């Protein structure tokens, strides 16, 4: 007789546990990579690595993660119709390559200024930054196709390999007595590329020929989504970069802020596993005109977000200043109040992500972008107020996220009025449903 855990595992969709396991490994890799680097590098070198890591996790995710999202949507729709994904991968590879080339061109043209402003003149770190962007481009490209095809085993394996390689390379560098910021930075380039190469065989085996995919299908909504994601990453990662610009000589503060933000954002790793099903559930509710299910789902996710905020925030506020010294070798430059603002900002950021998914159901990418733009403007305004630098940047994080939440609440109310009439809900569903399937029809 099977035990309850076995029954639960059997009831889950194939690959769910593999994706969850890979996510845990990749999430742990961030902490271990930065922790080992913090104990192996000088304060200045660690500040450089911290800033590079922040840029990769903000700009890189902002530019390349939307590609995964769009590919997942397109490939899944084609798979449901029995169409192969090979034409999608070919054109998506060209599109991703073009975006990557544009990013690398900017880095090449501005390498001197970027090195002087961000990395104490070390141009080798600009090269490492380009390598990290290349790694993100190839991994998000392949993950989008794998997810769309339902190859979640290979998807989770790639996540796990990426995280495992980051851990192994970081620990190996420390054991080998490496004290180079470049070496620890290149881990962000090497690990995703190797993980992608190792998971190409299952991807290629799953590809099938199919109808030509239109460029308009690939580009539709991608530009707005990239802009929204970039601005959201600015809000969640700006504290480290802002401190570097406002107080470039405060290397200990820069490194400590990154360590603190990583610790305060632990709830985001758990929240990330909920996002995959959120958009699908909200879309299904609207498609059948079930307003009660839609609002009920938002309420339940809201409670989950609040719970995650409390469970993650209380220990972060109480123990954060001590933990970053023990785990990351940070200097004692941050207090409990700083962690409170960062934890509050993380909760608000998660609420904004939930509401952003709801707006996407109504094809309100433009309103989502507007809300993140206003939030970013508020963040910038608070950052440049007079006062202590550390306080300004963490309060700015919270203020920007809160403003984005308030804007999205208003936008969502505007997109979905409060009428409970079944006829109105059904009519609205009939308007929304064709837009959700238009991409499939165009094939």
């Amino acid at each position: 007789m099977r035990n309850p855990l076995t029954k639960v595992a059997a009831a889950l969709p194939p690959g769910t546990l593999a994706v969850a396991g890979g996510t845990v490994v990749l999430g742990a890799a961030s902490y271990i990579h930065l922790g080992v680097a913090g104990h192996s590098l000088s304060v200045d070198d660690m500040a450089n690595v911290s800033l590079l890591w922040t840029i990769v996790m903000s700009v890189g995710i902002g530019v390349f993660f939307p590609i995964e999202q769009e590919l997942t949507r397109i490939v899944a729709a084609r798979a449901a119709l029995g169409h192969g994904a090979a034409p999608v991968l070919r054109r998506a590879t060209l599109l991703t390559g073009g975006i990557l080339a544009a990013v690398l061109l900017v880095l090449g043209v501005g390498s001197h200024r970027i090195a002087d402003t961000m990395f104490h003149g070390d141009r080798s770190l600009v090269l490492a930054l380009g390598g990290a962007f290349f790694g993100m481009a190839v991994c998000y490209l392949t993950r989008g196709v794998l997810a769309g095809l339902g190859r979640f085993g290979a998807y989770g394996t790639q996540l796990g390999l990426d995280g495992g390689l980051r851990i192994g390379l970081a620990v190996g560098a420390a054991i080998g007595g490496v004290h180079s910021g470049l070496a620890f930075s290149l881990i962000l380039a090497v690990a995703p590329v190797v993980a992608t190469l190792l998971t190409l065989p299952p991807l290629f085996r799953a590809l099938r020929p199919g109808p030509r995919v239109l460029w308009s299908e690939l580009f539709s909504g991608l530009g707005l989504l990239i802009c929204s994601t970039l601005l959201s990453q600015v809000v969640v990662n700006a504290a480290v970069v802002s401190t570097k610009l406002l107080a470039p000589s405060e290397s200990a503060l820069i490194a400590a802020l990154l360590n603190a933000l990583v610790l305060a954002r632990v709830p985001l790793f758990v929240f990330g596993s909920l996002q995959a099903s959120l958009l699908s559930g909200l879309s299904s509710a609207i498609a059948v005109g079930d307003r009660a299910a839609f609002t009920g789902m938002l309420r339940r996710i809201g409670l989950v977000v609040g719970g995650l905020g409390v469970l993650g925030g209380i220990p972060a506020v109480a123990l954060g200043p001590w933990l970053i010294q023990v785990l990351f070798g940070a200097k004692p430059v941050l207090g409990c109040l700083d962690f409170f603002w960062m934890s509050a900002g993380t909760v608000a950021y998660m609420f904004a992500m939930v509401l952003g998914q709801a707006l996407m159901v109504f094809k309100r990418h433009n309103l989502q972008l507007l809300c993140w733009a206003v939030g970013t403007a508020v963040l910038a305004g608070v950052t440049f107020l007079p006062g202590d630098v550390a306080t300004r940047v963490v309060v700015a994080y919270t203020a920007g996220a809160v403003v984005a939440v308030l804007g999205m609440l208003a936008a969502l109310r505007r997109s979905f009025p409060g009428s409970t009439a079944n006829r109105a809900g059904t009519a609205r569903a009939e308007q929304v449903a064709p837009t959700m399937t238009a991409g499939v029809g165009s094939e």
Side-chain angles (χ1 to χ4, degrees), residues 21 27 33 51 57 85 168 188 196 215 321 337 359:
H33 179 198
L51 187 56
M57 296 303 161
L188 296 175
T196 299
W215 283 112
L337 185 59
L359 286 173

Side-chain angles (χ1 to χ4, degrees), residues 313-356:
I314 290 177
V317 172
L319 303 175
W322 171 74
L323 282 174
I324 61 172
Q325 295 177 53
V326 174
L327 298 177
F328 303 109
K331 301 299 180 184
V333 293
L334 296 175
C336 292
L337 185 59
D338 298 311
F339 276 86
F340 167 78
W341 287 116
M342 285 183 279
S343 298
T346 296
V347 175
Y349 180 81
M350 289 190 291
F351 276 116
M353 296 300 291
V354 170
L355 296 173

